[in-house]
Amino acid sequence: MKFAYYPGCSLKGTALEYEKSLIKVCKDIDIELLEIEDWNCCGATPAHQVNKYLAIALPARNIIKAEKMGLSLVTPCAACFSRIRFASHYLKDNRWREILLSVLGEEYAGNLESKHLLQIFIEEQIQQKIKEKILKPLSGLKVACYYGCLLLRPPEVASFDDPEHPTAMETLVHLLGGEVVEWNFYNECCGASFALSNPQAMENLVYKILLDATFSGANCFMVACPLCHSNLDTRQVQVNKHFKKHFSLPVFYFTQLVGLALGYPPKELGLYSHLTNPMGVLER
Amino acid sequence: MPGIGVFVCWCGSNIASTVDVERVVEEVSKLRDVSFVTHYKYMCSSPGQNIIKEAIQNSKLEGVVVAACSPRMHELTFRKAAKEAGLNPYLLEMANIREQCSWVHSDKKIATEKAIQLIRMSVAKVTKNLPLEEIKVSVIHRALVIGGGIAGIQSALDLAEAGIETLLLERTPSIGGHMAQLDETFPTLDCSQCILTPKMVSVAQNPHITLHTYSELEKVDGFVGNFRVTIKHKARFVDEKKCTGCGLCQQKCPTQIPAEFDEGIGKRKAIYIPFPQAVPNIPVIDKEHCIWFKKGKCRVCEKVCPAGAINYEQQDEYITEEVGAIIVATGYRLMPKNVYGEYGYGRFKDVINGLEFERMLSASGPTSGKVLRPSDGKEPKVVVFIQCAGSRDPRKGVPYCSRICCMYTAKHSMLLKHKCPGVKAIVFYIDIRAGGKGYEEFVRRAEEEEGATFIRGRVSRIYQKGNKLIVKGVDTLTGSQLEVEADLVVLATAIMPQEDAKELAQKLGISYDEYGFFTEAHPKLRPVETSKAGVFLAGCAQAPKDIPDVVAQASGAASKVLALFSNKELVREPIIAKVDEVNCVGCFACEKSCPAQAITRKEIRDKSGNLIKEVAKVEPGVCQGCGACVVTCRGGCIRLEGFSDEQLFAEVNVL
């Protein structure tokens, strides 16, 4: 399967290990990713606070580039996914389309399919591929699947699974031989956008997520978004200090867990760059 | 055709203030075929009608045009007058100079010109009109009621009381419907079973009612007064004539599965009578779960049956009946479980719906009337009720209001308080809609006397914490978010049409709305009729409603059937399609275009009986005169009586 790949800026910065792991894993299971040439920022999240046209025009440019490649667009970042889906949604509206295309000076047929990488991983055929190549099933991992908000909402834009009770990640964890933990806060807000402006609000939200996951018996998280990751992974120290707790729940990208199951050593999947050390959980 | 009379109505000032009636009269009198013109203030009044009658007789009129309101309003009135004066009523036409002229224009000069044009058109048409005779069809005085809930039961009993032979069709093993599942009913808190079961028994005992349970409607042919229905008797695997209803079989059957009647809270056997008061009191073998049908072993029920009534070889049976009218009372279902992922209904055992709660409350229910958490069987301390769980939510559920939830939730909170002293009942609502006799007082009682807490706001999420359910919501009166630790959550899920409602509507040829509720002929003035003559509606199959409204509508439907049956034969307007059999080539494109399924096939044979060709035939009792076939016919071989090409061309050509 071949896709036009839109990495987004996080995967070239704070989430290098996400890209590192996904490139390895995708190669193994015959997902060919062709990076869109000269891609630009998708605008998440500041653009739509500033200018509604800019917020759509930025991802629209990438969409048009992908369409020219004749491939469906795939992105591993939930925030990019959301902006891209929004832009495709607006491009279906003739009034928006006219304005956007005249600003961009481009043509667009309007047929581009855009997906999140996770959706590709749970396609029948890819699941089969993964199954064939599993070397080290993830036994011992009790995974709390965390979807966050942008992957699912708003449902008419995202069209990803059941927005209130999604099961895509759970399907993948089962496939990898891990244990899925039944918990409650799989699609609650983690407060990432308040990280700088109101850290207290963010800490409260992260605390609730950590508490419920721990309470439900999870020993790690699985995520599909660099923003979820950075918030859950890097804020645990802060939350522990503030609430006088000792949370230590490593946060994995789904591609890292697939990589582990396929037998890659943790180092090759960038697992040493996480702030909440995953090695303890992995050794168990 | 000379000798046409034109009668121009003022309609008080309705027409005369915008149309110069006198000038109209002056212009119209110049028309070639017009021999008589007059005007009057109210043509529809008795003196007005007399003017027409006298003119028909004295001036020997051969056609009449009344220029007044819409034909929907008074065509019948004037045609009756024409008939009384000895003129074929179909030689009268109306020119609508009110709704289509005076009411929609303000410039008197232009409106007057338009009125003249409209009358000229009608005059041109009426010169081509032919006398038509009313169609008479016989009526079979038997009725079919589909659905054995309270609506169907009430209709059947009313009909039977009037001596009408009635077939009552029910697809489950027993009549009773949802009402049989309820505990007590609002606003009087009388026991549902106590008021329903006597009616069920009356149905069984009434000599005029033939009960067909565990049966479905297979096919409907025919038209008002003359329907032919095919009923499928699903195999019960129990001989209805031999069974005594002793219940031994269901005691001994080894298979246990969740009982539909108890909404899955209780269990039933593979051979079962759905509930103790079932009518008829005859069990059914559920083939899907029966060990004998699945594995070829067991036959315990056969061994224990003292009457030898078990018959594993029984087959589905099809019977055909003839009826003159049909009442559709197929009821509702509740919204499926998976609509609100955030409420965890279907995942969290202690999140249940209103009917499940109702079964818990019922003294004869699976918990013997005790309110117990399905997860651990303990009595709850805090119960949260969520109204509008699906109703009034265009995004996820349905946009309409289910109408009964406000009332039954108030009832639930009250009954809960009675059964579990000290329990906290919290109701989340959007608005309280308690429009009904004694309803507002009832809700007040729940709140003020029984102490239920009503919170205006919606619940965003329910999640599990230990053995509690955390209900997160908003109180929109104080503008604050709140979290309630609940032991049990009851969702007032939306009422929806039966899953196969659309299929049934298509079988019957009646219309339905975007959700699948059957559509009444007029939302205000014809609430129990359908667009198809002879088919009537009762109960929630038409729209959500409570028991009093259902019963009223069911009696209304029965009285409509009785009015229909008061005739030996029916008189129908002759405005129907006619096939030119000589030119028809039998392509039957018309057959597909007919929404009323009025077109059948007719064989044309020569003297010695050899088939010459097949042509289309319009069933006069069924045809609604819509004209769809007329425009479909490529050969122009179908004509709509009263609206023939000649008539319409004549009208258009004088413009």
Side-chain angles (χ1 to χ4, degrees):
Chain A
M1 271 197 245
K2 219 181 200 182
F3 294 97
Y5 169 60
Y6 178 79
C9 50
S10 296
L11 276 88
K12 304 290 181 190
T14 56
L16 276 173
E17 73 276 24
Y18 191 6
E19 185 166 55
K20 198 172 172 182
S21 59
L22 79 84
I23 286 175
K24 283 213 156 61
V25 171
C26 286
K27 210 177 212 171
D28 278 0
I29 53 176
D30 298 341
I31 299 176
E32 198 179 329
L33 301 174
L34 299 175
E35 192 166 321
I36 299 170
E37 249 176 73
D38 191 29
W39 56 268
N40 58 274
C41 168
C42 73
T45 57
H48 65 275
Q49 313 275 15
V50 180
N51 183 317
K52 58 180 181 180
Y53 293 103
L54 181 67
I56 302 301
L58 285 170
R61 183 172 174 272
N62 298 321
I63 288 174
I64 292 167
K65 280 181 176 298
E67 194 190 53
K68 284 190 182 149
M69 292 166 74
L71 296 170
S72 293
L73 187 152
V74 68
T75 178
C77 168
C80 300
F81 171 70
S82 174
R83 293 320 308 166
I84 287 164
R85 296 289 300 182
F86 258 106
S88 322
H89 192 73
Y90 276 88
L91 280 170
K92 282 181 193 140
D93 181 331
N94 278 337
R95 280 172 305 163
W96 274 89
R97 199 185 153 95
E98 226 167 82
I99 298 167
L100 289 168
L101 295 185
S102 77
V103 168
L104 294 168
E106 294 276 6
E107 300 276 317
Y108 176 58
N111 303 319
L112 183 96
E113 216 189 329
S114 49
K115 281 188 172 165
H116 188 278
L117 187 62
L118 178 60
Q119 287 172 299
I120 311 297
F121 270 57
I122 56 161
E123 276 180 20
E124 200 71 37
Q125 163 187 5
I126 298 296
Q127 279 199 43
Q128 199 51 45
K129 285 250 162 64
I130 296 175
K131 214 171 173 180
E132 284 164 14
K133 301 213 164 167
I134 289 179
L135 293 174
K136 289 185 183 170
L138 302 179
S139 50
L141 277 193
K142 296 176 178 174
V143 188
C145 298
Y146 181 71
Y147 291 83
C149 43
L150 294 174
L151 207 50
L152 306 167
R153 301 191 188 104
E156 55 272 32
V157 171
S159 327
F160 181 103
D161 214 335
D162 177 338
E164 298 299 344
H165 189 233
T167 51
M169 285 195 188
E170 282 80 354
T171 308
L172 192 58
V173 172
H174 276 303
L175 185 71
L176 301 176
E179 187 186 325
V180 172
V181 163
E182 275 285 330
W183 71 309
N184 298 304
F185 284 14
Y186 45 83
N187 64 350
E188 292 286 301
C189 172
C190 70
S193 49
F194 286 120
L196 300 174
S197 55
N198 187 351
Q200 180 62 54
M202 177 275 294
E203 277 171 27
N204 277 335
L205 292 165
V206 172
Y207 171 65
K208 281 187 181 172
I209 292 169
L210 289 169
L211 191 67
D212 192 69
T214 311
F215 194 80
S216 309
N219 59 16
C220 65
F221 286 107
M222 183 168 102
V223 297
C225 167
L227 303 182
C228 299
H229 187 278
S230 81
N231 215 31
L232 290 181
D233 182 39
T234 61
R235 307 296 169 183
Q236 288 189 29
V237 182
Q238 234 169 297
V239 169
N240 282 340
K241 206 167 138 195
H242 190 265
F243 291 93
K244 302 201 169 49
K245 293 277 178 189
H246 300 92
F247 292 120
S248 181
L249 286 173
V251 188
F252 297 105
Y253 290 109
F254 72 98
T255 48
Q256 290 178 316
L257 287 187
V258 175
L260 285 170
L262 297 190
Y264 284 100
K267 200 174 173 184
E268 286 185 32
L269 301 166
L271 279 165
Y272 293 108
S273 56
H274 292 182
L275 290 194
T276 310
N277 189 355
M279 296 322 290
V281 172
L282 292 181
E283 274 153 23
R284 241 185 273 163
Chain B
M1 187 205 281
I4 289 182
V6 179
F7 301 85
V8 187
C9 180
W10 292 43
C11 196
S13 60
N14 271 307
I15 292 170
S17 67
T18 332
V19 171
D20 183 346
V21 172
E22 276 161 21
R23 204 181 101 68
V24 169
V25 168
E26 190 191 317
E27 283 303 310
V28 169
S29 60
K30 293 178 194 161
L31 295 177
R32 198 188 57 193
D33 295 320
V34 173
S35 62
F36 182 93
V37 192
T38 189
H39 60 94
Y40 188 66
K41 264 207 156 161
Y42 293 101
M43 215 41 110
C44 57
S45 67
S46 177
Q49 290 187 47
N50 283 335
I51 295 175
I52 300 176
K53 285 187 207 166
E54 278 163 28
I56 289 173
Q57 281 162 348
N58 298 341
S59 311
K60 306 245 175 326
L61 297 180
E62 288 172 43
V64 169
V65 171
V66 181
C69 50
S70 158
R72 283 210 144 230
M73 188 82 192
H74 276 312
E75 191 174 64
L76 211 63
T77 315
F78 294 124
R79 284 196 167 157
K80 222 175 113 204
K83 194 179 175 188
E84 279 165 17
L87 185 74
N88 183 294
Y90 297 93
L91 297 177
L92 180 142
E93 287 291 333
M94 287 192 73
N96 182 354
I97 60 166
R98 193 177 76 169
E99 284 85 343
Q100 289 175 355
C101 186
S102 71
W103 276 3
V104 290
H105 297 295
S106 49
D107 187 320
K108 196 163 182 173
K109 203 173 156 214
I110 294 171
T112 306
E113 277 317 305
K114 183 171 169 183
I116 295 167
Q117 291 288 349
L118 288 168
I119 296 169
R120 280 181 61 199
M121 287 169 74
S122 293
V123 170
K125 186 185 176 195
V126 85
T127 56
K128 307 282 180 196
N129 277 21
L130 297 170
L132 299 175
E133 290 310 321
E134 284 165 339
I135 297 164
K136 289 188 174 143
V137 281
S138 64
V139 182
I140 298 167
H141 287 192
R142 288 177 95 212
L144 169 72
V145 178
I146 309 171
I150 179 59
I153 289 175
Q154 186 64 43
S155 291
L157 285 175
D158 284 359
L159 289 169
E161 204 171 320
I164 301 296
E165 200 184 317
T166 305
L167 311 174
L168 181 58
L169 194 63
E170 166 60 44
R171 71 167 154 198
T172 70
S174 167
I175 57 168
H178 284 305
M179 190 177 166
Q181 293 178 288
L182 307 183
D183 179 39
E184 291 171 12
T185 53
F186 61 78
T188 43
L189 294 190
D190 34 7
C191 149
S192 183
Q193 290 264 359
C194 314
I195 53 177
L196 178 68
T197 42
K199 279 185 185 285
M200 290 163 61
V201 175
S202 307
V203 166
Q205 291 173 347
N206 197 304
H208 296 303
I209 299 177
T210 314
L211 196 52
H212 293 280
T213 52
Y214 214 48
S215 302
E216 280 177 48
L217 185 74
E218 189 67 21
K219 206 174 129 201
V220 184
D221 289 319
F223 48 91
V224 55
N226 298 276
F227 293 108
R228 257 173 86 84
V229 296
T230 309
I231 295 169
K232 176 183 170 187
H233 272 263
K234 293 181 278 187
R236 275 186 121 95
F237 307 108
V238 174
D239 189 327
E240 295 185 33
K241 287 189 189 93
K242 287 185 191 162
C243 176
T244 58
C246 69
L248 256 181
C249 52
Q250 93 174 339
Q251 269 174 32
K252 300 290 181 196
C253 174
T255 310
Q256 279 210 342
I257 45 169
E260 294 86 356
F261 184 78
D262 287 329
E263 295 293 324
I265 291 183
K267 295 261 197 288
R268 67 159 168 85
K269 300 294 182 62
I271 182 164
Y272 68 107
I273 297 172
F275 54 105
Q277 303 88 337
V279 169
N281 189 26
I282 295 168
V284 172
I285 295 181
D286 168 5
K287 206 173 163 181
E288 223 178 289
H289 296 99
C290 171
I291 300 178
W292 167 250
F293 282 104
K294 274 190 347 196
K295 298 181 185 157
K297 281 181 212 155
C298 189
R299 296 180 88 119
V300 167
C301 46
E302 189 183 42
K303 279 170 215 147
V304 299
C305 179
I310 308 289
N311 175 8
Y312 300 108
E313 310 301 318
Q314 218 177 60
Q315 298 290 323
D316 293 351
E317 237 179 87
Y318 294 86
I319 56 164
T320 307
E321 295 276 4
E322 294 198 331
V323 294
I326 300 173
I327 295 178
V328 189
T330 47
Y332 68 95
R333 68 181 164 128
L334 285 184
M335 202 168 79
K337 294 188 176 199
N338 52 7
V339 175
Y340 285 93
E342 61 268 47
Y343 291 171
Y345 180 46
R347 272 185 297 138
F348 302 147
K349 281 184 174 170
D350 297 330
V351 178
I352 61 174
N353 71 22
L355 263 181
E356 288 168 324
F357 191 64
E358 205 73 51
R359 289 313 298 149
M360 268 192 204
L361 292 171
S362 170
S364 58
T367 58
S368 306
K370 288 197 191 95
V371 178
L372 302 173
R373 282 155 49 97
S375 62
D376 55 11
K378 285 188 185 142
E379 198 178 282
K381 299 272 181 298
V382 179
V383 180
V384 169
F385 297 91
I386 303 176
Q387 292 193 183
C388 301
S391 311
R392 307 176 67 194
D393 183 354
R395 190 150 163 199
K396 287 190 171 169
V398 293
Y400 55 82
C401 166
S402 291
R403 267 191 68 189
I404 60 169
C405 319
C406 286
M407 291 306 296
Y408 81 64
T409 302
K411 178 193 77 177
H412 281 172
S413 70
M414 227 184 249
L415 296 176
L416 173 72
K417 286 271 180 186
H418 297 174
K419 302 230 164 180
C420 313
V423 72
K424 212 168 163 195
I426 300 168
V427 179
F428 280 90
Y429 68 96
I430 305 183
D431 310 287
I432 294 294
R433 298 186 161 177
K437 196 171 175 181
Y439 284 14
E440 177 66 20
E441 299 92 312
F442 184 79
V443 178
R444 290 248 164 183
R445 197 177 125 200
E447 197 177 353
E448 290 166 7
E449 288 174 34
E450 310 274 359
T453 310
F454 280 70
I455 297 171
R456 199 190 80 175
R458 289 199 63 123
V459 170
S460 64
R461 174 156 213 95
I462 297 172
Y463 60 87
Q464 208 147 20
K465 191 175 167 192
N467 57 2
K468 297 267 181 191
L469 291 165
I470 308 297
V471 180
K472 268 174 86 173
V474 60
D475 180 342
T476 52
L477 290 178
T478 61
S480 54
Q481 288 186 21
L482 46 95
E483 281 189 19
V484 181
E485 268 196 17
D487 300 303
L488 185 67
V489 176
V490 183
L491 304 179
T493 39
I495 283 188
M496 293 179 86
Q498 298 285 8
E499 228 162 333
D500 52 358
K502 291 179 182 172
E503 223 174 279
L504 178 67
Q506 283 160 10
K507 264 183 209 164
L508 289 163
I510 61 176
S511 49
Y512 50 88
D513 65 14
E514 60 199 295
Y515 315 111
F517 289 117
F518 304 135
T519 321
E520 61 283 358
H522 186 280
K524 290 159 207 141
L525 302 179
R526 296 175 70 198
V528 300
E529 292 109 311
T530 63
S531 50
K532 178 154 175 153
V535 181
F536 303 92
L537 299 175
C540 289
Q542 180 242 344
K545 53 180 79 71
D546 57 16
I547 297 168
D549 284 4
V550 166
V551 173
Q553 196 188 15
S555 288
S559 78
K560 282 286 166 190
V561 173
L562 293 177
L564 176 71
F565 286 179
S566 66
N567 302 296
K568 273 215 178 71
E569 44 186 24
L570 295 177
V571 176
R572 299 211 45 212
E573 274 223 331
I575 311 295
I576 57 162
K578 272 258 162 79
V579 178
D580 171 1
E581 289 177 3
V582 175
N583 288 316
C584 175
V585 294
C587 73
F588 297 108
C590 51
E591 201 178 6
K592 286 178 211 131
S593 73
C594 179
Q597 287 138 26
I599 294 178
T600 54
R601 297 176 180 214
K602 180 180 170 187
E603 292 177 347
I604 307 268
R605 291 178 185 276
D606 64 14
K607 277 178 192 162
S608 41
N610 301 318
L611 184 66
I612 300 172
K613 63 173 180 175
E614 251 193 335
V615 295
K617 180 176 176 257
V618 177
E619 205 58 64
V622 191
C623 176
Q624 303 283 324
C626 72
C629 56
V630 179
V631 290
T632 309
C633 181
R634 280 169 285 185
C637 309
I638 311 186
R639 160 171 71 102
L640 187 62
E641 297 275 37
F643 294 90
S644 65
D645 285 355
E646 299 80 58
Q647 286 169 295
L648 298 182
F649 279 128
E651 243 184 316
V652 174
N653 284 340
V654 296
L655 256 186

